Amino acid sequence: RAERAAREIRAEVGERAEGEGELVVRELDLASLRSVRAFCHRVLQEESRLDVLINNAGIFQCPYMKTEDGFEMQFGVNHLGHFLLTNLLLGLLKNSAPSRIVVVSSKLYKYGEINFEDLNSEISYNKSFCYSRSKLANILFARELARRLEGTGVTVNSLHPGIVRTNLGRHVNIPLLAKPLFNLVSWAFFKTPLEGAQTSIYLASSPDVEGVSGKYFGDCKEEELLPKAMDDLVARKLWDISEVMVGLLK
């Protein structure tokens, strides 16, 4: 799918800007810390600059399963995989400043809580709650990272893209009789992937947000967060524990 997308982009861009850039596809599995490390190693070997990093991948309301490293899948992919990826590329981002980090979260963060006694859902698992927790973790991570990067020229912002028509909801079971109605509603009210990408593109490239960091956006506008998403003590504790979980600290 990535190669097909790359061909389509090359065909479209090639018509307008011959020789303006190079598009490459690289494999990255955020459910594997080994894959994250291999990907970052290759990027650091091959690339002299990194201007923008968009943390966009996610898994939504899957049955209980674990990543290659034994983490609950939604927390492991949505938070820990991106946490390690970003930290391993931070040096290059700093050397390329001014540069930007964009973290894709979700409005569903509102229903999540950071339970430090059961981050890996060993005691109990609720697929909806665990998704919301991972999205709250995204915002807290972006907030703490923005604090740590003050004065470096690297900005960090988070966003919610809205409800987008993608295969993200593939694990959600919709009764057969309700599927026609669901499909009708999704076509009427859900965003297209292009529409859903607009806030990410805005934060990655717009001069309007140059120097803006530690904020949360929706529909290309800054939005207010609930107090639990602005708790700096929780954000720092989550950072410290995440460093240990992904092996950045022993």
Side-chain angles (χ1 to χ4, degrees):
R1 289 185 4 231
E3 290 289 3
R4 184 170 70 247
R7 285 196 299 272
E8 292 171 0
I9 293 168
R10 288 189 192 105
E12 180 183 342
V13 173
E15 296 169 1
R16 300 174 310 188
E18 192 66 38
E20 283 296 311
E22 182 186 8
L23 176 63
V24 296
V25 172
R26 294 288 179 261
E27 183 180 349
L28 169 60
D29 180 3
L30 287 163
S32 164
L33 299 184
R34 176 175 47 84
S35 174
V36 174
R37 291 181 185 280
F39 171 83
C40 292
H41 179 72
R42 186 167 185 181
V43 169
L44 295 174
Q45 279 191 319
E46 295 180 351
E47 306 299 334
S48 59
R49 291 190 58 82
L50 180 54
D51 298 288
V52 181
L53 172 64
I54 304 179
N55 289 334
N56 179 67
I59 189 166
F60 177 71
Q61 293 194 8
C62 60
Y64 186 76
M65 59 181 81
K66 291 185 175 182
T67 68
E68 178 180 291
D69 305 279
F71 304 124
E72 185 274 311
M73 186 63 73
Q74 295 188 88
F75 190 74
V77 170
N78 298 355
H79 170 60
L80 292 174
H82 288 118
F83 179 87
L84 179 61
L85 174 77
T86 306
N87 272 282
L88 293 179
L89 296 176
L90 266 186
L92 186 55
L93 282 156
K94 289 177 182 177
N95 291 338
S96 307
S99 54
R100 303 183 184 188
I101 300 170
V102 179
V103 179
V104 179
S105 182
S106 166
K107 266 189 175 178
L108 293 176
Y109 86 85
K110 296 177 180 180
Y111 306 103
E113 300 289 343
I114 304 297
N115 178 7
F116 289 110
E117 303 304 315
D118 192 27
L119 278 181
N120 211 34
S121 301
E122 302 281 0
I123 299 171
S124 65
Y125 179 72
N126 178 291
K127 61 184 182 181
S128 298
F129 167 80
C130 286
Y131 178 76
S132 295
R133 178 167 63 189
S134 71
K135 295 290 101 180
L136 176 58
N138 288 156
I139 296 172
L140 291 168
F141 163 61
R143 185 176 180 84
E144 174 63 9
L145 182 58
R147 185 187 70 81
R148 290 170 178 252
L149 290 175
E150 285 179 8
T152 65
V154 184
T155 60
V156 191
N157 292 291
S158 58
L159 69 109
H160 73 87
I163 305 175
V164 187
R165 286 197 301 273
T166 68
N167 69 346
L168 182 67
R170 60 190 177 277
H171 294 293
V172 178
N173 293 318
I174 299 169
L176 193 61
L177 293 175
K179 279 192 175 179
L181 178 60
F182 176 80
N183 291 336
L184 183 64
V185 169
S186 69
W187 279 105
F189 297 105
F190 291 11
K191 291 182 178 181
T192 66
L194 180 61
E195 291 168 339
Q198 289 310 302
T199 306
S200 294
I201 295 169
Y202 172 77
L203 290 176
S205 60
S206 174
D208 294 347
V209 288
E210 185 175 348
V212 174
S213 193
K215 305 299 182 182
Y216 174 76
F217 289 78
D219 292 324
C220 301
K221 299 183 189 70
E222 186 181 339
E223 295 192 356
E224 292 295 318
L225 285 165
L226 293 179
K228 65 181 174 183
M230 298 187 291
D231 191 322
D232 290 334
L233 289 177
V234 172
R236 291 178 196 182
K237 185 173 180 180
L238 178 63
W239 181 286
D240 292 342
I241 291 174
S242 298
E243 279 188 317
V244 176
M245 291 178 82
V246 303
L248 288 173
L249 284 181
K250 299 298 182 187

